[in-house]
Amino acid sequence: MSMSSAAISNTPEVLLQVNQLSRNFGGLAALRDVSFSVARGEIVGLIGPNGAGKTTAFNVISGTMPPSSGTVIFGNQDISGGPPSKVVVGGLARTFQSTSTYPEVSVAENIYRGMLSRLQGSAVARLTGRTTGLLRTDQVSREIDEILNMVDLQAWRDVAAGSLAYGLQKKLGIAVALATRPTILLLDEPAAGLNHEECNELGRLLKHLQQQHGLTLLLVEHHMALVMDLCERIVVLVQGEKIAEGTPLEIRENPAVIEAYLGAPDYAHA
């Protein structure tokens, strides 16, 4: 009995469960019966060739697109079909392939706008322009500074977001997502457009967020060296179907994965 209890207590808590997820566009199936899970505190990669269904999976999981069938369970709640605002308040945040910040305002203001998305009544506040009084000024400033420290953007606090170098804008996108206080962060090609050193720095940042701040991460990424180094588990999609799941070593040696990526430069040089 005691051994059974110990085994149960050591089982990682499943934070996100994707069950037989399918998404059709007309007669085309972008996703077919895809299932996988993400445990609390884990970093999981979702990879596959172009057109594999990775971004569609992210759209369905994050609530921007309803599934044709299947469910998305987040923290024991069915969030299938969104809406995204409810998903964010529940603790799931997403970054996008391109930077999705407000270029004309400061880095700090971008983070503040991320904070607003988690507050009750914030939608009304944004529509009416009445954003004061939702949080005390000292509380806002303190939290912004904490997030800037987490992503090492302190020096750019008052700089207009649009004037940042591209790598810093990608970091700001992560900072804005962190401002929603997510339990799990979905990263859609975070390394896209980054050079080798920026990519290494991104990997260090994401590992820091996991280890020091307890964040759970699910990322779609084409940069195989980053995925293999960062992720504890990897899910592979090809033409909308899951063909493999396992550790980086298992995925690297999986014949089906090798065949799917045969001749793809980014995988061959991983």
Side-chain angles (χ1 to χ4, degrees), residues 3-25:
M3 289 181 62
S4 176
S5 299
I8 293 173
S9 65
N10 289 329
T11 302
E13 176 192 355
V14 173
L15 187 61
L16 179 71
Q17 180 71 55
V18 175
N19 298 315
Q20 296 183 299
L21 206 61
S22 295
R23 173 66 198 193
N24 303 320
F25 296 96

Side-chain angles (χ1 to χ4, degrees), residues 2-262:
S2 59
M3 289 181 62
S4 176
S5 299
I8 293 173
S9 65
N10 289 329
T11 302
E13 176 192 355
V14 173
L15 187 61
L16 179 71
Q17 180 71 55
V18 175
N19 298 315
Q20 296 183 299
L21 206 61
S22 295
R23 173 66 198 193
N24 303 320
F25 296 96
L28 176 66
L31 291 175
R32 284 189 291 271
D33 294 325
V34 172
S35 297
F36 65 91
S37 64
V38 181
R40 185 178 293 276
E42 193 177 23
I43 301 180
V44 175
L46 187 61
I47 69 170
N50 288 332
K54 305 180 300 295
T55 297
T56 299
F58 258 37
N59 288 337
V60 174
I61 293 169
S62 61
T64 60
M65 181 184 293
S68 298
S69 62
T71 57
V72 179
I73 308 298
F74 173 52
N76 298 319
Q77 182 179 4
D78 188 344
I79 61 169
S80 310
S85 57
K86 180 181 178 182
V87 172
V88 168
V89 171
L92 184 150
R94 174 187 176 180
T95 67
F96 291 83
Q97 292 177 19
S98 58
T99 56
S100 54
T101 56
Y102 297 93
E104 73 284 357
V105 301
S106 71
V107 166
E109 173 69 15
N110 269 273
I111 294 173
Y112 176 57
R113 294 185 184 192
M115 292 164 63
L116 289 179
S117 67
R118 72 170 193 258
L119 299 174
Q120 271 194 335
S122 60
V124 174
R126 286 196 297 271
L127 287 172
T128 62
R130 295 179 60 190
T131 55
T132 57
L134 290 174
L135 284 173
R136 295 195 317 272
T137 303
D138 60 334
Q139 183 183 350
V140 169
S141 183
R142 185 168 58 251
E143 186 167 338
I144 288 172
D145 287 337
E146 288 174 358
I147 294 170
L148 289 171
N149 283 325
M150 288 170 68
V151 299
D152 198 21
L153 281 177
Q154 308 94 313
W156 293 271
R157 190 186 201 282
D158 299 315
V159 174
S163 68
L164 294 177
Y166 183 73
L168 295 176
Q169 289 191 35
K170 297 281 276 192
K171 275 178 133 183
L172 178 56
I174 294 173
V176 172
L178 291 175
T180 69
R181 291 187 182 171
T183 307
I184 183 170
L185 181 58
L186 275 58
L187 298 156
D188 195 353
E189 297 195 31
L194 300 184
N195 61 35
H196 180 72
E197 181 50 44
E198 289 171 335
C199 193
N200 288 339
E201 185 178 352
L202 172 69
R204 290 190 292 270
L205 170 61
L206 296 180
K207 182 61 74 173
H208 171 76
L209 292 175
Q210 178 210 28
Q211 293 180 341
Q212 300 301 316
H213 300 280
L215 200 61
T216 305
L217 303 170
L218 173 64
L219 66 148
V220 161
E221 186 52 69
H222 282 290
H223 196 292
M224 287 298 103
L226 176 65
V227 170
M228 292 293 172
D229 183 59
L230 185 65
C231 296
E232 293 147 300
R233 276 192 308 117
I234 299 170
V235 176
V236 186
L237 298 182
V238 173
Q239 295 182 342
E241 296 183 346
K242 186 176 84 171
I243 66 164
E245 179 179 350
T247 66
L249 180 60
E250 290 169 340
I251 293 302
R252 190 185 289 275
E253 297 180 348
N254 186 298
V257 176
I258 294 171
E259 182 179 356
Y261 275 100
L262 191 61

